[in-house]
Amino acid sequence: MYVYYNESDNSIPAASVHYQDLVRQIMYPVFSLTAGTAATIIWYRLYIIPGAAHCSPNTLQPNGPFPQTNLQVLLNWVEKGVEPTTLNATCLAGTEKGKNS
Protein backbone atom coordinates (compact mmCIF):
# COMPACT_ATOMS: atom_id res chain seq x y z
CA MET A 1 0.00 0.00 0.00
CA TYR A 2 1.17 3.48 -0.62
CA VAL A 3 -0.26 6.84 0.23
CA TYR A 4 0.55 10.15 -1.30
CA TYR A 5 -0.21 13.42 0.39
CA ASN A 6 -0.47 16.70 -1.48
CA GLU A 7 1.56 19.20 0.50
CA SER A 8 -0.77 22.15 -0.22
CA ASP A 9 -4.00 20.20 0.23
CA ASN A 10 -6.60 22.51 1.76
CA SER A 11 -9.13 19.69 2.28
CA ILE A 12 -7.09 17.16 4.23
CA PRO A 13 -4.95 18.24 7.19
CA ALA A 14 -1.27 17.39 7.14
CA ALA A 15 -1.71 14.25 9.21
CA SER A 16 -0.34 11.66 6.78
CA VAL A 17 3.12 11.56 8.36
CA HIS A 18 1.58 11.21 11.81
CA TYR A 19 -0.77 8.50 10.54
CA GLN A 20 2.12 6.50 9.07
CA ASP A 21 3.88 6.69 12.43
CA LEU A 22 0.73 5.49 14.20
CA VAL A 23 0.53 2.54 11.83
CA ARG A 24 4.15 1.72 12.66
CA GLN A 25 3.46 1.93 16.41
CA ILE A 26 0.37 -0.29 16.22
CA MET A 27 1.82 -2.90 13.89
CA TYR A 28 5.27 -3.11 15.49
CA PRO A 29 4.89 -1.99 19.12
CA VAL A 30 7.96 -3.81 20.43
CA PHE A 31 10.29 -2.72 17.61
CA SER A 32 12.64 0.25 17.88
CA LEU A 33 11.83 3.30 15.76
CA THR A 34 14.38 2.25 13.15
CA ALA A 35 13.32 -1.40 13.02
CA GLY A 36 9.62 -0.53 13.05
CA THR A 37 10.04 1.96 10.23
CA ALA A 38 12.03 -0.55 8.18
CA ALA A 39 9.30 -3.17 8.72
CA THR A 40 6.52 -0.73 7.87
CA ILE A 41 7.95 0.58 4.59
CA ILE A 42 8.05 -2.94 3.22
CA TRP A 43 4.29 -2.69 2.74
CA TYR A 44 3.33 0.96 3.50
CA ARG A 45 4.95 3.88 1.69
CA LEU A 46 4.19 7.57 2.07
CA TYR A 47 5.00 10.09 -0.65
CA ILE A 48 4.55 13.83 -0.21
CA ILE A 49 3.85 15.78 -3.40
CA PRO A 50 5.43 19.24 -3.01
CA GLY A 51 3.05 22.10 -3.69
CA ALA A 52 0.16 19.93 -4.91
CA ALA A 53 -3.44 20.72 -3.96
CA HIS A 54 -6.29 18.31 -3.23
CA CYS A 55 -6.22 15.58 -5.93
CA SER A 56 -4.63 17.94 -8.43
CA PRO A 57 -1.80 20.35 -9.09
CA ASN A 58 -1.94 23.62 -7.19
CA THR A 59 -3.32 26.45 -9.36
CA LEU A 60 -0.95 28.82 -7.57
CA GLN A 61 2.00 26.69 -8.75
CA PRO A 62 1.01 25.66 -12.30
CA ASN A 63 4.46 24.37 -13.19
CA GLY A 64 4.46 21.92 -10.29
CA PRO A 65 4.53 18.24 -11.29
CA PHE A 66 1.77 15.87 -10.26
CA PRO A 67 1.86 12.03 -10.29
CA GLN A 68 -0.08 10.52 -13.19
CA THR A 69 0.70 6.80 -13.01
CA ASN A 70 -0.27 5.94 -9.42
CA LEU A 71 -2.32 2.85 -10.23
CA GLN A 72 0.38 1.46 -12.52
CA VAL A 73 3.02 2.03 -9.82
CA LEU A 74 0.86 0.12 -7.33
CA LEU A 75 0.20 -2.72 -9.79
CA ASN A 76 3.89 -3.02 -10.60
CA TRP A 77 4.69 -3.23 -6.90
CA VAL A 78 2.04 -5.83 -6.08
CA GLU A 79 2.12 -7.94 -9.22
CA LYS A 80 5.74 -7.62 -10.37
CA GLY A 81 7.60 -6.85 -7.14
CA VAL A 82 8.90 -3.51 -8.44
CA GLU A 83 9.20 -1.47 -5.26
CA PRO A 84 8.41 2.22 -5.77
CA THR A 85 11.12 4.57 -4.59
CA THR A 86 9.65 7.70 -6.16
CA LEU A 87 6.49 8.61 -8.03
CA ASN A 88 6.88 9.81 -11.61
CA ALA A 89 5.23 13.20 -11.94
CA THR A 90 4.23 15.21 -15.00
CA CYS A 91 3.79 18.96 -15.26
CA LEU A 92 0.24 19.55 -16.48
CA ALA A 93 0.38 23.29 -17.10
CA GLY A 94 2.70 26.24 -17.56
CA THR A 95 6.01 26.43 -19.34
CA GLU A 96 7.05 22.92 -18.20
CA LYS A 97 3.82 21.23 -19.42
CA GLY A 98 4.36 17.61 -20.40
CA LYS A 99 7.77 17.28 -18.76
CA ASN A 100 8.34 14.47 -16.26
CA SER A 101 10.21 14.82 -13.04
Side-chain angles (χ1 to χ4, degrees):
M1 172 170 93
Y2 76 84
V3 173
Y4 68 93
Y5 174 72
N6 300 324
E7 188 179 53
S8 295
D9 193 327
N10 59 358
S11 299
I12 300 174
S16 298
V17 175
H18 179 66
Y19 182 78
Q20 183 186 36
D21 190 53
L22 289 175
V23 169
R24 177 195 57 81
Q25 291 175 35
I26 290 168
M27 296 300 292
Y28 306 103
V30 297
F31 285 30
S32 69
L33 173 62
T34 303
T37 300
T40 302
I41 64 169
I42 290 171
W43 58 272
Y44 184 106
R45 304 278 172 96
L46 172 64
Y47 300 93
I48 298 174
I49 313 303
H54 185 76
C55 295
S56 67
N58 186 342
T59 56
L60 299 175
Q61 298 176 12
N63 288 336
F66 193 75
Q68 298 295 303
T69 59
N70 297 321
L71 181 57
Q72 190 60 53
V73 169
L74 183 60
L75 289 172
N76 287 342
W77 188 17
V78 172
E79 295 178 356
K80 299 176 182 174
V82 178
E83 293 184 29
T85 54
T86 62
L87 297 180
N88 185 29
T90 303
C91 294
L92 301 177
T95 59
E96 301 296 314
K97 184 176 181 177
K99 292 185 179 179
N100 292 329
S101 62

